[in-house]
Amino acid sequence: MQEETLYLILYGAATMLSLTACCYLLLRRSNAIVPDVTSPVRLRWWTAAFFASMTLSHIWYLPTFYFTANDDKLLGTLIGATLDFLTLVPLGIVVLMSMLQDRRRPLWLAGVMMVPIIAVMTVCIANCSITHLPVVYIYYLSLGIGLIIYMVREVRQYGRWLRDNYADLEHKEVWQSFVVLAVILLFFGIYTLDPHGLAYQYATQVNNIILVCYLVWRVETLSELNVTPLQQS
């Protein structure tokens, strides 16, 4: 009982932190961490949307703590996971793409990537069964590997663009974005190994807290770059 209470406290702290970070990015126009840096407005808004989805994710999982029947807990978890794949995961991909300012990338692709997962999760919800979840695991892992390959290529291209157009690279490079990808894949592995254990639950909330702090720092320390017609050519 004491462990559950401590976990709920940590759960609430992660929820409030993501909500606070969302409000901060939306309401404060200037940076608090690095006041002399003007962060990209587009990245600021997308990151705020990501934090809002993280807050909502904590809210729609909350009822599962009070379900007593295993079928109810399973159904609640499946619905929560589906909502995460509709909001949290694609918004995370959009945030990563928005960090690269050399050109506008098609952000709608992040939503298209989730269509197969949503289809399988819908079947799982309809049957209240986890029979098809291995398909989700395999696709999600493949998606993560593909995203890493894509980001490696895009970040290298972005680095070349920076060196060609800016002599001073301070507050402009984004290699730290791979920290986010590493964390996502790490916790995918933890989820597949022990999806219901207490260690997983604690680790997930600690991951959320670290992720919020990291992304706020990333937004605040990344300088907005104006792409001129000469640079685009």
Side-chain angles (χ1 to χ4, degrees):
M1 190 66 179
Q2 184 178 2
E3 291 182 344
E4 290 183 1
T5 302
L6 290 175
Y7 174 70
L8 285 174
I9 292 174
L10 182 62
Y11 192 92
T15 306
M16 291 305 301
L17 181 62
S18 59
L19 178 60
T20 302
C22 173
C23 295
Y24 167 77
L25 292 180
L26 287 176
L27 300 178
R28 184 182 175 94
R29 299 303 180 186
S30 59
N31 292 357
I33 298 177
V34 188
D36 59 330
V37 170
T38 301
S39 56
V41 175
R42 184 168 177 257
L43 175 61
R44 205 172 184 91
W45 287 351
W46 279 119
T47 308
F50 176 76
F51 289 152
S53 68
M54 184 180 290
T55 304
L56 291 173
S57 176
H58 282 77
I59 293 174
W60 55 58
Y61 278 112
L62 195 59
T64 61
F65 290 110
Y66 305 102
F67 291 151
T68 55
N70 289 333
D71 287 345
D72 291 339
K73 286 183 177 291
L74 175 60
L75 185 60
T77 301
L78 290 174
I79 293 174
T82 303
L83 292 173
D84 282 347
F85 285 125
L86 277 170
T87 58
L88 191 65
V89 177
L91 282 172
I93 296 174
V94 166
V95 168
L96 290 175
M97 292 182 178
S98 298
M99 292 178 187
L100 307 178
Q101 302 179 66
D102 54 331
R103 61 184 176 86
R104 292 292 181 95
R105 289 163 176 80
L107 301 182
W108 55 268
L109 287 175
V112 173
M113 294 175 190
M114 297 297 110
V115 172
I117 296 181
I118 300 303
V120 176
M121 291 301 295
T122 302
V123 173
C124 291
I125 292 173
N127 298 325
C128 194
S129 170
I130 60 173
T131 303
H132 301 292
L133 279 187
V135 177
V136 176
Y137 296 154
I138 294 172
Y139 179 81
Y140 191 64
L141 179 59
S142 302
L143 180 63
I145 294 173
L147 186 60
I148 284 182
I149 295 172
Y150 172 79
M151 287 298 296
V152 167
R153 188 191 68 178
E154 293 299 301
V155 170
R156 290 186 63 184
Q157 177 182 324
Y158 182 67
R160 289 194 295 268
W161 178 81
L162 285 177
R163 290 188 293 272
D164 290 342
N165 294 283
Y166 296 92
D168 180 13
L169 299 182
E170 186 178 9
H171 302 305
K172 298 178 179 65
E173 295 186 299
V174 295
W175 60 267
Q176 298 92 340
S177 304
F178 287 103
V179 174
V180 179
L181 292 172
V183 169
I184 291 173
L185 288 181
L186 173 63
F187 277 87
F188 170 80
I190 293 176
Y191 180 78
T192 56
L193 290 174
D194 188 15
H196 303 295
L198 187 61
Y200 161 76
Q201 295 175 354
Y202 272 101
T204 299
Q205 300 312 314
V206 172
N207 171 65
N208 289 338
I209 292 172
I210 294 174
L211 189 59
V212 170
C213 295
Y214 164 78
L215 285 177
V216 170
W217 170 84
R218 176 70 280 179
V219 172
E220 295 274 280
T221 57
L222 186 63
S223 179
E224 182 174 22
L225 306 178
N226 295 317
V227 183
T228 65
L230 179 61
Q231 291 171 330
Q232 287 179 325
S233 62

